[in-house]
Amino acid sequence: MRVRIEVNGEQHVADDVWEGESLLYVLRERLGLPGSKNACEQGECGSCTVYLDDVAVCACLVAAGQAHDRRVRTVEGLADGDRLDPVQEAYLVSGAVQCGFCTPGLIVATHDLLRRNPHPSDPEIREALAGNLCRCTGYEKILDAVRLAASRSDGG
Amino acid sequence: MTSTTTDTNTSTGIGASPVRPDGTLKVKGEFAYSSDLWADDMLWGATLRSPHPHARIRGVDLTGALKIAGVYAVLTHDDVPGVNRFGLEHPDQPVLAEDVVRYQGEPVAVVAADHPETARRAVAAITVDYEVLDPVTDPNTAADRPPLHPGGNVVRHVRIRKGDPGASASTVVSGEYTVGMQDQAFLGPESGMAVPAEDGGVDLFVATQWLHVDQSQVAAALGLPPEKVRITLAGVGGAFGAREDLSMQVHASLLALRTNRPVKFVYGREESFFGHVHRHPAILRYEHGADADGRLVYVRAEILLDGGAYASSTSAVVANAATLGAGPYDVPNVHIDAIGLYTNNPPCGAMRGFGAVQACFAYESQMDKLAAALDLDPVELRVRNALREGAAMPTGQIIDSAAPVAELLRLVRDRPLPAPAADDPRERPGGVANTTHGEGVRRGVGYGVGIKNVGFSEGFDDYSTASVRLWVSGGEPVVSVHTAAAEVGQGLVTLQAQIARTELGVRQVTVLPADTSVGSAGSSSASRQSYVTGGAVKAACEAVRAEVLDLVDAPGELYLNGGRVVDSAGATVAEVADLLGDRVVEQTVEWRHRPTEPIDPETGQGRAHVQYAFAAHRAVVDVDTELGLVRVVELACAQDVGRALNPQAVLGQIHGGSAQGLGLAVMEEILVVDGKVRNPSFTDYLIPTTLDTPPMAVDVLELADPHAPYGLRGVGEPPTISVTPAVVAAIRAATGVALTRVPVRPEHLVLAESPPHADTLVDDTE
Ligand code: FES
Ligand code: FES
């Protein structure tokens, strides 16, 4: 089948998509956007988190056909050219990135959290990010990064 | 595949925490991991694995697979042109099974097809005629079962004999402890791509921990000289030991050479559980004897480590469990037998902590039991017996640098305790499941301290190679550093550039992609890369510096700083750019740490290890004693790192290592029943999330080791070791339940025979 998706503001068309393919597979393997990661492909790790029409979802759980004629925003669409999004910048400087495999999903999830709740408490951060596994950091620096991004989005 | 350039000033040398050179790519989603590789005409590989833990293969029928459109090759062991064996220490594992499979998940055939789903369907269309055999699954009896390998089922038996074997003591405690099988659970599954080359060789892009040991094993299996197998490190999504053995490397290369097309493998999460070795499950029987003052008189132990179907690094794991088996304590009389076994369980090998984790859970549980028997504070008992610099290990090796075991314990003990839980379900065991309003919830505090060797031991020729170039570009001196050391997330790329900036006084340093065109760096494991590859980069920079300074005709000591040659007063003697002109200064150095020696096979005596590292933890837990739910409230850690070359990365290792040890304490276990894995998914194998991982307070000591580059001490593993017993001790303190196995599960707390009571430590295992 043919799937048409607007990804990061650009129209994309993928042909010969097999019905069983996920949005994640189409992004990674057909549209050349491998930023969203594939750590479980079962909805357990959050490494594939993207926006689907403004809702953060696990792209591995969305069938490619469900995304037809909809808008997707991935980690590749957050920075403005060389200017990182404040969430990306906060992860970078806080030491929240080690291997980085969890990072794209966590950054989209954090971006989504701060949109909904610009000043989350620690328990709120922990709850919001509980679906995103990281095996390297023990989450300490990830929490630092979220706090930093929240403080900066305030302009100070 | 990613070249990383940094342009910052020399205050981003060692001791600072500059931003990772690969960090911007990683936060933008542009860093190329091994699963992101792509070539126009590439094929997808897939693997047929044995469903049985032990079976004879009577026949394999490939015709169903070959008939499927889009399938380009289906290969079995008959298609392995070289030696159909690999293995880190003993080459005992077939690339593809021949007449026997020895574990569930053992590769039998591989397929290349034009879509991953086609490849999976082709795998499903292969029929294998198995004669199912009785699996050997119990390490207690494995040694006496029919041999799974020609030499029998004992991979290695290490004996440690120190002092008087008949020593007796006034207070004796004993116990049997069990450690479940833990998975490294890195987030980026095994993956990579093999590209056939014009010379009949192969270019392999893969996430691994040790490029050159992959190269030699792949070349042997392909029947090619090593130089025809060129390996480049692709982006690595975590490692923790699981990438030290081969996974898809040979399979992809075989298919690429057969089809003459690039072949990419990406394991899914379920396959990943079968695609790498795990932490050895262990049974540990300990007896500790102490005098009335709580001084240890003896430690006796028997440690069984289940190596599973193939040896992997079992030999070295057994040696660690044995040589470190008395813990960070000064013990006059030690008698330890550690035995690694072959079974038909999943193969086990390297995981962070490597043999020291299992032993530490047992000896620290014993120390708590001994403290209770002596009516001593558990920290006080440990402090009284703590190793110090100058003390002798059970191997007879004298510790010849800092061993601040007592100080680390005091640091974690003296930290303020966390406040009682707030009246908020998110701060209670069970969380928002709202399973308690605080009734039945008890708090407990526990301690653990551990010891780990850094680097490869027992006489292994442990070295790294670094090639450093200095030249002038755009009027400024610039440096490139080239090693084959695997960046697995720990921050080695940052560190290499920091060292070059410090040693050569430049701003711009590029760390080139790791590949096999430069000499071996050894493995990114054993907490060794800052030490060994750091040492190699430092030595190569020193050689470059000496060559540059040779060009200067000036008296006295000279240094490189800020792109200039300066004298000891800091006055500029020359600009490096002027001095060099078009000249390129390049030096390649192979660097070794002090040699170690093998241990005596009868007594275990010998200078086996190059460096020891220590960490201590205090854990605070809340336990819902009615439901057996545990919430770890806080972890405090103190660790000596010799010198923190990158303080932020040091903390990252301590936090991440602590979280993995917490996972072993209360969550993580590969459940194996009759040789079969029951939970190969992140749905059923749980690793700590943000809700399971507490805030961590960390004290970092920097007591320089005079034998190590910059005085550093390996960082990565110690925090994974001491946290597990600390968490379990805290649960015992909260519940009064004797706990002898990790991970602790709710039924261990709720169905315990002894009724839970809050304030004593009891153990009823005798
Ligand atoms: S890959 Fe989608 S949740 Fe893990
Ligand atoms: S940084 Fe490696 S999984 Fe999070």
Side-chain angles (χ1 to χ4, degrees):
Chain A
M1 64 181 175
R2 160 174 282 215
V3 177
R4 195 172 54 224
I5 316 174
E6 184 193 310
V7 187
N8 300 330
E10 271 180 46
Q11 280 297 331
H12 287 267
V13 175
D15 281 315
D16 302 324
V17 173
W18 169 65
E19 303 75 36
E21 281 177 24
S22 64
L23 172 60
L24 180 64
Y25 182 89
V26 169
L27 289 170
R28 289 178 50 80
E29 306 296 342
R30 295 192 181 274
L31 304 183
L33 291 165
S36 310
K37 291 290 168 271
N38 52 339
C40 77
E41 299 185 68
Q42 263 192 327
E44 293 289 353
C45 75
S47 70
C48 62
T49 306
V50 300
Y51 284 115
L52 178 62
D53 288 341
D54 287 333
V55 178
V57 298
C58 291
C60 70
L61 293 183
V62 176
Q66 287 176 286
H68 185 67
D69 275 343
R70 295 175 72 178
R71 273 178 303 115
V72 170
R73 195 171 177 203
T74 72
V75 68
E76 289 106 328
L78 293 185
D80 180 6
D82 279 344
R83 254 202 37 235
L84 296 179
D85 181 89
V87 175
Q88 292 172 315
E89 180 69 28
Y91 270 72
L92 182 65
V93 301
S94 302
V97 180
Q98 289 191 31
C99 85
F101 210 80
C102 65
T103 305
L106 269 160
I107 283 178
V108 175
T110 302
H111 191 271
D112 179 49
L113 165 66
L114 297 182
R115 246 179 11 146
R116 291 183 285 111
N117 178 359
H119 299 291
S121 65
D122 279 8
E124 286 168 342
I125 298 171
R126 288 188 183 276
E127 212 179 325
L129 301 184
N132 290 76
L133 299 177
C134 172
R135 191 55 159 169
C136 299
T137 64
Y139 306 106
E140 282 288 272
K141 297 292 183 188
I142 288 171
L143 261 82
D144 283 352
V146 180
R147 294 181 197 116
L148 179 65
S151 72
R152 283 185 178 172
S153 68
D154 209 19
Chain B
M1 299 261 301
T2 315
S3 168
T4 42
T5 299
T6 318
D7 184 352
T8 30
N9 61 39
T10 46
S11 69
T12 51
I14 64 160
S17 300
V19 160
R20 301 179 64 103
D22 55 9
T24 302
L25 290 173
K26 285 179 173 178
V27 297
K28 291 176 88 175
E30 292 171 0
F31 184 75
Y33 292 91
S34 53
S35 47
D36 301 336
L37 303 170
W38 202 84
D40 262 339
D41 53 345
M42 75 181 186
L43 300 173
W44 290 80
T47 313
L48 173 67
R49 296 174 181 274
S50 166
H52 307 294
H54 197 196
R56 201 175 316 284
I57 296 177
R58 286 190 291 228
V60 181
D61 183 359
L62 307 178
T63 44
L66 289 165
K67 274 196 296 212
I68 295 175
V71 171
Y72 284 74
V74 185
L75 307 181
T76 67
H77 71 91
D78 285 330
D79 302 294
V80 177
V83 190
N84 186 30
R85 287 288 181 282
F86 70 96
L88 287 173
E89 291 165 1
H90 310 288
D92 62 355
Q93 186 161 1
V95 171
L96 291 168
E98 295 161 10
D99 50 344
V100 166
V101 286
R102 296 182 180 83
Y103 71 96
Q104 181 207 17
E106 180 157 354
V108 176
V110 288
V111 170
D114 56 9
H115 187 285
E117 185 56 25
T118 311
R120 280 193 286 270
R121 286 178 185 174
V123 160
I126 299 171
T127 48
V128 183
D129 181 10
Y130 291 105
E131 176 193 344
V132 175
L133 303 173
D134 192 21
V136 176
T137 58
D138 182 358
N140 282 304
T141 55
D144 303 321
R145 297 288 311 277
L148 300 171
H149 293 274
N153 292 342
V154 174
V155 181
R156 190 176 182 193
H157 181 166
V158 174
R159 300 166 180 85
I160 305 290
R161 306 287 184 259
K162 179 189 179 191
D164 174 8
S168 61
S170 53
T171 302
V172 173
V173 293
S174 61
E176 178 174 315
Y177 303 91
T178 313
V179 176
M181 185 183 289
Q182 190 180 19
D183 190 61
Q184 298 85 348
F186 49 49
L187 275 212
E190 291 86 345
S191 47
M193 184 158 67
V195 183
E198 301 227 318
D199 66 352
V202 66
D203 291 289
L204 190 56
F205 302 86
V206 67
T208 181
Q209 289 177 238
W210 187 354
L211 278 73
H212 286 78
V213 87
D214 280 12
Q215 181 189 38
S216 58
Q217 295 181 95
V218 173
L222 298 178
L224 290 172
E227 62 273 15
K228 287 202 172 177
V229 177
R230 292 161 294 259
I231 304 186
T232 303
L233 186 71
V236 183
F240 318 117
R243 299 188 204 271
E244 213 166 35
D245 295 80
L246 296 180
S247 57
M248 45 57 68
Q249 285 89 329
V250 184
H251 299 158
S253 303
L254 287 170
L255 290 165
L257 291 175
R258 175 63 67 95
T259 60
N260 206 28
R261 305 245 309 241
V263 175
K264 168 172 164 172
F265 272 78
V266 181
Y267 290 1
R269 181 54 52 184
E270 178 175 353
E271 186 169 22
S272 179
F273 275 96
F274 296 100
H276 60 255
V277 298
H278 312 291
R279 186 190 299 293
H280 290 72
I283 299 163
L284 310 102
R285 302 183 182 100
Y286 268 74
E287 184 176 303
H288 279 58
D291 67 17
D293 293 333
R295 303 231 179 260
L296 287 169
V297 177
Y298 68 85
V299 171
R300 292 185 197 125
E302 185 193 32
I303 301 169
L304 299 182
L305 294 148
D306 184 353
Y310 296 102
S312 180
S313 46
T314 293
S315 297
V317 169
V318 171
N320 272 11
T323 57
L324 308 171
Y329 302 112
D330 197 348
V331 192
N333 305 295
V334 179
H335 188 287
I336 295 176
D337 289 272
I339 302 164
L341 296 148
Y342 283 125
T343 64
N344 294 113
N345 292 324
C348 290
M351 181 175 173
R352 195 176 199 169
F354 204 83
V357 163
Q358 295 91 331
C360 186
F361 172 60
Y363 63 68
E364 286 298 87
S365 297
Q366 283 282 102
M367 292 302 275
D368 284 336
K369 202 166 177 177
L370 188 58
L374 289 160
D375 201 19
L376 269 177
D377 172 71
V379 172
E380 177 55 28
L381 175 73
R382 287 170 168 87
V383 167
R384 281 188 198 177
N385 291 286
L387 273 178
R388 289 173 178 74
E389 184 170 355
M393 291 292 289
T395 56
Q397 180 168 14
I398 304 295
I399 298 191
D400 61 2
S401 68
V405 176
E407 192 177 348
L408 296 172
L409 283 161
R410 287 193 199 102
L411 279 167
V412 293
R413 182 193 57 196
D414 293 346
R415 271 198 173 269
L417 282 161
D423 187 20
D424 179 338
R426 292 175 300 192
E427 293 203 17
R428 294 198 195 101
V432 290
N434 224 353
T435 47
T436 175
H437 297 288
E439 68 283 2
V441 175
R442 298 224 171 90
R443 179 158 289 193
V445 179
Y447 295 88
V449 59
I451 179 170
K452 179 69 184 45
N453 57 320
V454 172
F456 281 29
S457 300
E458 296 188 83
F460 187 86
D461 182 23
D462 195 14
Y463 70 94
S464 179
T465 317
S467 195
V468 171
R469 255 168 167 258
L470 171 68
W471 75 100
V472 177
S473 172
E476 186 183 354
V478 296
V479 166
S480 70
V481 179
H482 190 196
T483 74
E487 167 62 56
V488 296
Q490 79 278 47
L492 193 60
V493 283
T494 325
L495 189 67
Q496 293 183 53
Q498 289 178 256
I499 291 172
R501 283 190 215 106
T502 291
E503 296 300 329
L504 296 174
V506 295
R507 290 192 310 156
Q508 271 205 54
V509 178
T510 302
V511 176
L512 299 175
D515 60 35
T516 49
S517 70
V518 62
S520 177
S523 183
S524 290
S525 66
S527 308
R528 67 179 281 288
Q529 282 296 27
S530 298
Y531 193 132
V532 190
T533 289
V537 172
K538 178 171 186 273
C541 288
E542 286 164 353
V544 165
R545 185 172 63 212
E547 196 177 324
V548 172
L549 296 181
D550 263 355
L551 303 172
V552 186
D553 187 15
E557 284 286 317
L558 297 174
Y559 306 88
L560 294 180
N561 194 353
R564 295 162 300 137
V565 179
V566 298
D567 63 19
S568 48
T572 302
V573 176
E575 295 286 337
V576 173
D578 299 340
L579 203 58
L580 289 186
D582 292 338
R583 186 192 292 256
V584 176
V585 181
E586 176 162 10
Q587 291 284 345
T588 301
V589 172
E590 225 171 61
W591 189 86
R592 289 171 164 74
H593 59 64
R594 295 185 291 163
T596 57
E597 54 187 42
I599 52 172
D600 183 283
E602 297 306 320
T603 66
Q605 298 299 296
R607 226 182 56 78
H609 300 309
V610 66
Q611 186 187 53
Y612 293 101
F614 306 91
H617 274 91
R618 182 189 71 193
V620 179
V621 305
D622 282 342
V623 183
D624 180 336
T625 53
E626 289 160 15
L627 295 176
L629 299 176
V630 175
R631 177 170 182 271
V632 181
V633 174
E634 188 212 57
L635 293 173
C637 179
Q639 183 172 343
D640 172 31
V641 304
R643 172 134 184 229
L645 300 193
N646 182 319
Q648 191 183 68
V650 163
L651 285 178
Q653 289 298 302
I654 295 174
H655 295 149
S658 298
Q660 289 182 3
L662 180 161
L664 177 61
V666 292
M667 311 173 71
E668 296 183 34
E669 182 174 11
I670 296 185
L671 296 169
V672 182
V673 179
D674 298 331
K676 292 194 180 181
V677 175
R678 305 298 300 270
N679 56 342
S681 73
F682 279 165
T683 311
D684 297 313
Y685 183 94
L686 301 180
I687 66 173
T689 69
T690 46
L691 294 176
D692 304 305
T693 312
M696 300 184 212
V698 178
D699 284 300
V700 173
L701 290 186
E702 296 184 79
L703 306 176
D705 177 351
H707 311 288
Y710 304 113
L712 74 86
R713 197 174 290 286
V715 175
E717 291 168 290
T720 311
I721 296 168
S722 45
V723 62
T724 307
V727 170
V728 177
I731 301 171
R732 287 192 199 105
T735 62
V737 178
L739 297 166
T740 58
R741 150 177 237 293
V742 283
V744 175
R745 292 198 287 260
E747 61 266 32
H748 299 152
L749 297 172
V750 177
L751 304 178
E753 278 174 30
S754 53
H757 49 106
D759 43 19
T760 48
L761 287 164
V762 255
D763 197 324
D764 60 355
T765 53
E766 276 101 330

